[in-house]
DNA sequence: TTGCGTATGTTAATTATAGCACTATCAAGG
DNA sequence: CCTTGATAGTGCTATAATTAACATACGCAA
């Protein structure tokens, strides 16, 4: 339909809408409106309609949206109609936390392999998945046709792990190491930097008066 | 120059600049330029200058920026000239990971208290800090004059923890629970939703063609 | 001391994003 | 079957953010 550029902010909100709709659906509610969704997730009704309008017409004028239906549509838009195979590299505290994070599996992200450089960790089993050495990364990831890599290794190793992931055929990488990574343009990369989040807070708490 | 609204995107970039400058400084480099910073963190030189221009003039025309100096300035802008007292609520896998995360302490965020609802966890010591029961939260947080709360509890308890944190006088909250929280406008709130990050990736991997 | 090269700070233009207001459409009830 | 109330979809407006362009100021060397 449209090859219009979609704002990333819209995608993030869609993800939140879908989560909200899952909750609403669980309560047995059949129909909802842009206003109700807006209240539920803290944006304006116009924003909700605008976001959805990028992708088609999912509602009925004068009535609203069918909850199940809209949820399904958004899930499909986000690419969540089928499961995704995910690999996790790095089983430090953060990696361990990520491996047990329920939110991933709930949304169809299945961790199919785990790797770590530490020989002491290799061989252990985390959440039912055996931790493998890094030198098996390429083979296993390629074999599983894993498309998403999560990087939870120390900053100094992040780039080399990313390079290996790319060589192994992943299409997207979620990076938790606080470094700037070089990836070719066709690879999707997102960085999550926990300290940055705190720093945005402190800036705002200072009331932007500290300087 | 004052009381100008600063884009949040600018703050996030400043945080990244400061990290980059820390690295550069560690290499013993004295002077840098907007172009070098831009290369280092993957934005445009104009963007770097624009971001800095919100807060003053830190460079010398024809020369560039003094690394140490600029870094110091940015740190002050972000409110990082002094340490911050942080409380962590929830010692599941994620909470545990956060408590050991080096990035926090490096940037002056000190976890001064930890709480959990689970009696089995209360009394244990995490990273040198004793885990306390939730009912001591208000007293301890108030006593420590803790200004930042990190919420790493299951979604269904997040709102009630947040309410308690606010009652205890915190100014800012970093929330890891995937729910929309209600807070009064004077409280700074940031949400980190790990699944949302993956979903932005999958949307982009689908090439926005899935729908 | 003066001119040149360079990188900043700033203003202007472009682009992107969000908000608003209007219009079209549907459901329900008399 | 028509009227009324409600709400999605959409074009336009305003606001925000990024990019580009330019003029200013500094260091250095002749």
């Amino acid at each position: 339909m449209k090859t219009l550029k979609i704002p990333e902010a819209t995608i993030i909100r869609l993800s939140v809408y879908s989560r909200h709709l899952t909750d609403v659906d669980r309560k047995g509610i059949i129909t909802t409106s842009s206003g109700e969704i807006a209240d539920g997730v803290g944006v304006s009704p116009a924003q909700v309609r605008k976001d959805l309008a990028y992708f088609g017409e999912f509602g009925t004028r004068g009535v609203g949206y069918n909850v199940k239906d809209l949820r399904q549509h958004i899930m499909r838009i986000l690419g969540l109609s089928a499961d995704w195979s995910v690999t996790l590299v790095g089983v430090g505290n953060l990696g361990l936390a990520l491996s047990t994070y329920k939110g991933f599996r709930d949304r169809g992200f299945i961790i199919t392999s785990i790797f770590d450089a530490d020989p002491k960790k290799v061989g252990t089993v985390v959440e039912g998945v055996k931790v493998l050495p890094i030198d098996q990364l390429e083979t296993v990831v390629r074999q599983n046709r894993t498309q998403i890599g999560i990087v939870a290794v120390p900053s100094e190793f992040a780039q080399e792990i990313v390079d290996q992931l790319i060589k192994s055929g992943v299409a997207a990488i979620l990076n938790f190491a606080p470094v700037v990574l070089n990836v070719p343009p066709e690879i999707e990369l997102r960085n999550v930097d926990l300290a940055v989040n705190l720093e945005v807070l402190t800036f705002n708490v200072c009331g932007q008066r500290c300087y």
Side-chain angles (χ1 to χ4, degrees), chain A:
Chain A
M1 54 195 73
K2 293 130 92 155
T3 316
L4 204 57
K5 198 191 156 297
I6 315 286
E8 177 164 299
T10 291
I11 304 307
I12 293 171
R13 284 190 298 264
L14 282 179
S15 176
V16 176
Y17 301 160
S18 78
R19 207 178 60 205
H20 171 75
L21 289 170
T22 304
D23 292 347
V24 170
D25 183 35
R26 203 169 284 143
K27 287 182 192 153
I29 295 166
I30 305 299
T31 302
T32 188
S33 68
S34 61
E36 283 180 4
I37 297 173
D39 285 347
V41 307
V43 300
S44 74
Q47 184 78 77
V48 173
R49 296 199 297 274
K50 205 41 164 324
D51 287 334
L52 295 173
Y54 281 111
F55 302 96
E57 307 188 1
F58 306 116
T60 313
R61 302 183 185 201
V63 180
Y65 303 92
N66 177 281
V67 173
K68 273 194 200 317
D69 205 50
L70 182 59
R71 176 173 174 281
Q72 191 98 35
H73 271 297
I74 296 179
M75 296 294 268
R76 159 164 292 163
I77 290 167
L78 293 173
L80 304 179
S81 5
D83 284 351
W84 290 81
S85 165
V86 178
T87 185
L88 170 66
V89 189
V91 199
N93 284 289
L94 183 58
L96 218 54
L98 293 171
S99 71
T100 59
Y101 183 60
K102 294 289 176 298
F104 288 160
R105 180 166 279 267
D106 287 350
R107 307 286 281 182
F109 298 105
I110 314 290
I111 295 178
T112 51
S113 60
I114 301 181
F115 301 92
D116 200 290
D118 184 347
K120 282 197 292 291
K121 284 173 183 157
V122 170
T124 60
V125 175
V126 173
E127 290 289 302
V129 180
K130 201 186 213 176
V131 178
L132 301 174
I134 301 288
D135 57 31
Q136 289 184 30
L137 191 152
E138 196 172 341
T139 324
V140 174
V141 167
R142 191 180 297 281
Q143 216 161 43
N144 289 349
R145 284 178 173 49
T146 300
Q147 294 191 78
I148 300 177
I150 298 181
V151 176
V153 302
S155 298
E156 54 269 37
F157 305 122
Q159 182 67 57
E160 101 189 48
I161 294 295
V162 165
D163 292 342
Q164 285 199 51
L165 284 169
I166 293 171
K167 210 159 46 153
S168 317
V170 305
I173 293 170
L174 187 61
N175 169 47
F176 285 87
V179 284
V180 177
L181 297 173
N182 287 312
V183 301
E186 71 271 17
I187 302 290
E188 288 299 324
L189 171 68
R190 274 184 81 77
N191 298 292
V192 179
D193 187 324
L194 301 172
V196 166
N197 282 290
L198 277 181
E199 289 170 9
V200 174
L201 285 180
T202 55
F203 172 78
N204 287 319
V205 168
C206 278
Q208 315 182 7
R209 276 175 278 97
C210 287
Y211 52 96

